[in-house]
Amino acid sequence: IWFLDPFGYETIIRGSDESNDNWQRLAKQGFTGIQAIGGSVAFSNDELDVVHHLAVYAPEPLQKAAGMLAFNPAGRVPLPQWIPADVGRVAMVNWDLSAAFTAYGSWFDDVYGEGESGVFEEVVLGIRDDPGSPGVDIRKDLLANLQGPVFIVGGAAELKSAASDPTLLAIQTSNESRVRTAVDKLLTEDPDVDRRDIGATKAWVFRNVGKQESENENVGPDLSDVAVCLHEGYLIVASDVALLEIILTKGPNVGPLATDGRFERVLRRIEEGSGEDTILRQFSDDGVDMRLLYGQLRAGQIQEVNSLRGRMIAALVSAAAPPAAETPATTNSTAERKPLPLAKLPTFDAVRPYL
């Protein structure tokens, strides 16, 4: 059984380092409403190696940008056939995107609008109404024509380097023609977006959009290499076009995850343990999902990883490092720690059978 106070945990991990104010911003934007996370873990349970039950205590209503965490319980829906069986992880979350979109406005105003309320809504209305704008009502033309859970896909053995652990989000369209028209209007004439063929699918790829030229420059979210496409009735957004290319160009020898026996067994046990009204369902293959992170660990690049999992592993590695020799001016708790010789770790293929 485990318990975590997320903001208390971050305070311990950060220590006296005040250089990263992301958690302070999260607190300001209402995420302290996530008061506790906990669960239980059982090993060697029946046919499964690990059974993990997770609970999050976040009483509603969540305020400001924390309102993006707008999830609704729902029954299981079929997995898209285009998701290949060799991905590292897939999650299915019943997310109220309309509520999340509105709540994101608070975050946008704080981060990119210099704290001025209403900047996000001005941008949204400008996209619809301004002369020469795309003329797209994002809520009416896009969000209202999406349905079902959001599928979150990540982890691919073919990825060589990705500090942010790229992910792909997909949601089914209820009116694909209308969504395609809206996306075309938004992106086709944008000078910072390239059109690219990925197999038989047309995708839009952002080029250096939102990159900061200086530390004091806030130009909006960094969309560099973000890719958008419509594929087999799904609107797909990938944080890195490399992941989208891997997912959509798998050869015929890789079948769909939806019919994979491992996936079916895990989902069946989730249904048995939690019932139909579940917010989140997730399947992961650590033998694939951990490859990139493990490689960065061996290469001494773990501090460059931005994912929460990567940061937690980095913190554990730092805590496990032996302290340097004490001097009269230091103690065991204040002396700098020697880095572990991580390059001596065995190859990933050697440890994969144990994951």
Side-chain angles (χ1 to χ4, degrees), residues 6-21:
F7 282 85
Y9 172 81
E10 174 62 18
T11 300
I12 294 172
I13 294 299
R14 187 177 64 244
S16 59
D17 181 10
E18 298 294 339
S19 61
N20 189 331
D21 64 351

PDB file of all heavy atoms in Angstrom, residues 6-21:
ATOM      1  N   PRO A   6       1.210  14.771  -3.648  1.00  0.00           N
ATOM      2  CA  PRO A   6       2.022  15.167  -4.809  1.00  0.00           C
ATOM      3  C   PRO A   6       2.800  16.455  -4.608  1.00  0.00           C
ATOM      4  O   PRO A   6       3.964  16.546  -5.010  1.00  0.00           O
ATOM      5  CB  PRO A   6       0.999  15.281  -5.943  1.00  0.00           C
ATOM      6  CG  PRO A   6      -0.330  15.366  -5.280  1.00  0.00           C
ATOM      7  CD  PRO A   6      -0.216  14.629  -4.008  1.00  0.00           C
ATOM      8  N   PHE A   7       2.205  17.451  -3.979  1.00  0.00           N
ATOM      9  CA  PHE A   7       2.924  18.707  -3.810  1.00  0.00           C
ATOM     10  C   PHE A   7       3.941  18.609  -2.672  1.00  0.00           C
ATOM     11  O   PHE A   7       5.003  19.239  -2.729  1.00  0.00           O
ATOM     12  CB  PHE A   7       1.930  19.849  -3.587  1.00  0.00           C
ATOM     13  CG  PHE A   7       1.279  20.299  -4.864  1.00  0.00           C
ATOM     14  CD1 PHE A   7       0.158  19.647  -5.348  1.00  0.00           C
ATOM     15  CD2 PHE A   7       1.817  21.332  -5.602  1.00  0.00           C
ATOM     16  CE1 PHE A   7      -0.431  20.034  -6.546  1.00  0.00           C
ATOM     17  CE2 PHE A   7       1.236  21.734  -6.799  1.00  0.00           C
ATOM     18  CZ  PHE A   7       0.112  21.080  -7.274  1.00  0.00           C
ATOM     19  N   GLY A   8       3.648  17.818  -1.669  1.00  0.00           N
ATOM     20  CA  GLY A   8       4.649  17.580  -0.636  1.00  0.00           C
ATOM     21  C   GLY A   8       5.841  16.819  -1.179  1.00  0.00           C
ATOM     22  O   GLY A   8       7.002  17.113  -0.858  1.00  0.00           O
ATOM     23  N   TYR A   9       5.558  15.847  -2.054  1.00  0.00           N
ATOM     24  CA  TYR A   9       6.633  15.065  -2.679  1.00  0.00           C
ATOM     25  C   TYR A   9       7.533  15.957  -3.531  1.00  0.00           C
ATOM     26  O   TYR A   9       8.756  15.877  -3.470  1.00  0.00           O
ATOM     27  CB  TYR A   9       6.025  13.961  -3.538  1.00  0.00           C
ATOM     28  CG  TYR A   9       7.029  13.202  -4.377  1.00  0.00           C
ATOM     29  CD1 TYR A   9       7.788  12.185  -3.818  1.00  0.00           C
ATOM     30  CD2 TYR A   9       7.218  13.516  -5.729  1.00  0.00           C
ATOM     31  CE1 TYR A   9       8.714  11.488  -4.589  1.00  0.00           C
ATOM     32  CE2 TYR A   9       8.140  12.834  -6.494  1.00  0.00           C
ATOM     33  CZ  TYR A   9       8.886  11.817  -5.923  1.00  0.00           C
ATOM     34  OH  TYR A   9       9.805  11.135  -6.679  1.00  0.00           O
ATOM     35  N   GLU A  10       6.930  16.836  -4.321  1.00  0.00           N
ATOM     36  CA  GLU A  10       7.726  17.720  -5.176  1.00  0.00           C
ATOM     37  C   GLU A  10       8.592  18.654  -4.342  1.00  0.00           C
ATOM     38  O   GLU A  10       9.728  18.955  -4.703  1.00  0.00           O
ATOM     39  CB  GLU A  10       6.808  18.521  -6.097  1.00  0.00           C
ATOM     40  CG  GLU A  10       7.513  19.577  -6.935  1.00  0.00           C
ATOM     41  CD  GLU A  10       8.533  19.003  -7.899  1.00  0.00           C
ATOM     42  OE1 GLU A  10       8.472  17.789  -8.178  1.00  0.00           O
ATOM     43  OE2 GLU A  10       9.400  19.769  -8.370  1.00  0.00           O
ATOM     44  N   THR A  11       8.090  19.110  -3.197  1.00  0.00           N
ATOM     45  CA  THR A  11       8.873  19.981  -2.325  1.00  0.00           C
ATOM     46  C   THR A  11      10.121  19.269  -1.833  1.00  0.00           C
ATOM     47  O   THR A  11      11.218  19.845  -1.795  1.00  0.00           O
ATOM     48  CB  THR A  11       8.022  20.437  -1.127  1.00  0.00           C
ATOM     49  OG1 THR A  11       6.882  21.163  -1.605  1.00  0.00           O
ATOM     50  CG2 THR A  11       8.828  21.326  -0.196  1.00  0.00           C
ATOM     51  N   ILE A  12       9.967  17.982  -1.493  1.00  0.00           N
ATOM     52  CA  ILE A  12      11.123  17.203  -1.033  1.00  0.00           C
ATOM     53  C   ILE A  12      12.118  16.998  -2.168  1.00  0.00           C
ATOM     54  O   ILE A  12      13.334  17.151  -1.995  1.00  0.00           O
ATOM     55  CB  ILE A  12      10.650  15.846  -0.475  1.00  0.00           C
ATOM     56  CG1 ILE A  12       9.816  16.059   0.793  1.00  0.00           C
ATOM     57  CG2 ILE A  12      11.844  14.942  -0.181  1.00  0.00           C
ATOM     58  CD1 ILE A  12       9.150  14.802   1.293  1.00  0.00           C
ATOM     59  N   ILE A  13      11.612  16.648  -3.355  1.00  0.00           N
ATOM     60  CA  ILE A  13      12.498  16.399  -4.492  1.00  0.00           C
ATOM     61  C   ILE A  13      13.221  17.674  -4.914  1.00  0.00           C
ATOM     62  O   ILE A  13      14.427  17.667  -5.207  1.00  0.00           O
ATOM     63  CB  ILE A  13      11.687  15.845  -5.686  1.00  0.00           C
ATOM     64  CG1 ILE A  13      11.123  14.465  -5.345  1.00  0.00           C
ATOM     65  CG2 ILE A  13      12.542  15.775  -6.943  1.00  0.00           C
ATOM     66  CD1 ILE A  13      12.160  13.425  -5.046  1.00  0.00           C
ATOM     67  N   ARG A  14      12.505  18.790  -4.911  1.00  0.00           N
ATOM     68  CA  ARG A  14      13.104  20.047  -5.350  1.00  0.00           C
ATOM     69  C   ARG A  14      14.076  20.590  -4.331  1.00  0.00           C
ATOM     70  O   ARG A  14      15.097  21.195  -4.685  1.00  0.00           O
ATOM     71  CB  ARG A  14      11.996  21.071  -5.619  1.00  0.00           C
ATOM     72  CG  ARG A  14      12.510  22.366  -6.240  1.00  0.00           C
ATOM     73  CD  ARG A  14      11.366  23.327  -6.559  1.00  0.00           C
ATOM     74  NE  ARG A  14      10.682  23.755  -5.359  1.00  0.00           N
ATOM     75  CZ  ARG A  14       9.425  23.485  -5.077  1.00  0.00           C
ATOM     76  NH1 ARG A  14       8.706  22.766  -5.907  1.00  0.00           N
ATOM     77  NH2 ARG A  14       8.864  23.921  -3.960  1.00  0.00           N
ATOM     78  N   GLY A  15      13.796  20.370  -3.053  1.00  0.00           N
ATOM     79  CA  GLY A  15      14.662  20.885  -2.005  1.00  0.00           C
ATOM     80  C   GLY A  15      14.726  22.398  -2.037  1.00  0.00           C
ATOM     81  O   GLY A  15      13.714  23.095  -2.126  1.00  0.00           O
ATOM     82  N   SER A  16      15.933  22.912  -2.017  1.00  0.00           N
ATOM     83  CA  SER A  16      16.122  24.369  -2.013  1.00  0.00           C
ATOM     84  C   SER A  16      16.215  24.957  -3.410  1.00  0.00           C
ATOM     85  O   SER A  16      16.406  26.161  -3.572  1.00  0.00           O
ATOM     86  CB  SER A  16      17.407  24.709  -1.243  1.00  0.00           C
ATOM     87  OG  SER A  16      18.529  24.081  -1.856  1.00  0.00           O
ATOM     88  N   ASP A  17      16.073  24.117  -4.443  1.00  0.00           N
ATOM     89  CA  ASP A  17      16.163  24.594  -5.819  1.00  0.00           C
ATOM     90  C   ASP A  17      14.876  25.304  -6.208  1.00  0.00           C
ATOM     91  O   ASP A  17      13.827  24.695  -6.353  1.00  0.00           O
ATOM     92  CB  ASP A  17      16.420  23.410  -6.758  1.00  0.00           C
ATOM     93  CG  ASP A  17      16.553  23.847  -8.211  1.00  0.00           C
ATOM     94  OD1 ASP A  17      16.636  25.069  -8.459  1.00  0.00           O
ATOM     95  OD2 ASP A  17      16.569  22.958  -9.095  1.00  0.00           O
ATOM     96  N   GLU A  18      14.948  26.606  -6.387  1.00  0.00           N
ATOM     97  CA  GLU A  18      13.777  27.401  -6.748  1.00  0.00           C
ATOM     98  C   GLU A  18      13.807  27.818  -8.217  1.00  0.00           C
ATOM     99  O   GLU A  18      13.044  28.683  -8.647  1.00  0.00           O
ATOM    100  CB  GLU A  18      13.709  28.657  -5.866  1.00  0.00           C
ATOM    101  CG  GLU A  18      13.559  28.363  -4.382  1.00  0.00           C
ATOM    102  CD  GLU A  18      12.224  27.717  -4.054  1.00  0.00           C
ATOM    103  OE1 GLU A  18      11.289  27.848  -4.859  1.00  0.00           O
ATOM    104  OE2 GLU A  18      12.120  27.094  -2.982  1.00  0.00           O
ATOM    105  N   SER A  19      14.709  27.206  -9.008  1.00  0.00           N
ATOM    106  CA  SER A  19      14.867  27.622 -10.401  1.00  0.00           C
ATOM    107  C   SER A  19      13.687  27.200 -11.264  1.00  0.00           C
ATOM    108  O   SER A  19      13.432  27.800 -12.307  1.00  0.00           O
ATOM    109  CB  SER A  19      16.164  27.034 -10.982  1.00  0.00           C
ATOM    110  OG  SER A  19      16.129  25.603 -10.950  1.00  0.00           O
ATOM    111  N   ASN A  20      12.962  26.179 -10.856  1.00  0.00           N
ATOM    112  CA  ASN A  20      11.824  25.705 -11.649  1.00  0.00           C
ATOM    113  C   ASN A  20      10.531  26.069 -10.919  1.00  0.00           C
ATOM    114  O   ASN A  20      10.246  25.535  -9.842  1.00  0.00           O
ATOM    115  CB  ASN A  20      11.921  24.186 -11.842  1.00  0.00           C
ATOM    116  CG  ASN A  20      10.901  23.663 -12.837  1.00  0.00           C
ATOM    117  OD1 ASN A  20       9.825  24.234 -12.984  1.00  0.00           O
ATOM    118  ND2 ASN A  20      11.225  22.572 -13.504  1.00  0.00           N
ATOM    119  N   ASP A  21       9.770  26.986 -11.514  1.00  0.00           N
ATOM    120  CA  ASP A  21       8.560  27.449 -10.839  1.00  0.00           C
ATOM    121  C   ASP A  21       7.303  26.776 -11.375  1.00  0.00           C
ATOM    122  O   ASP A  21       6.190  27.243 -11.131  1.00  0.00           O
ATOM    123  CB  ASP A  21       8.430  28.966 -10.970  1.00  0.00           C
ATOM    124  CG  ASP A  21       8.243  29.422 -12.417  1.00  0.00           C
ATOM    125  OD1 ASP A  21       8.382  28.587 -13.338  1.00  0.00           O
ATOM    126  OD2 ASP A  21       7.955  30.609 -12.611  1.00  0.00           O
TER     127      ASP A  21
END
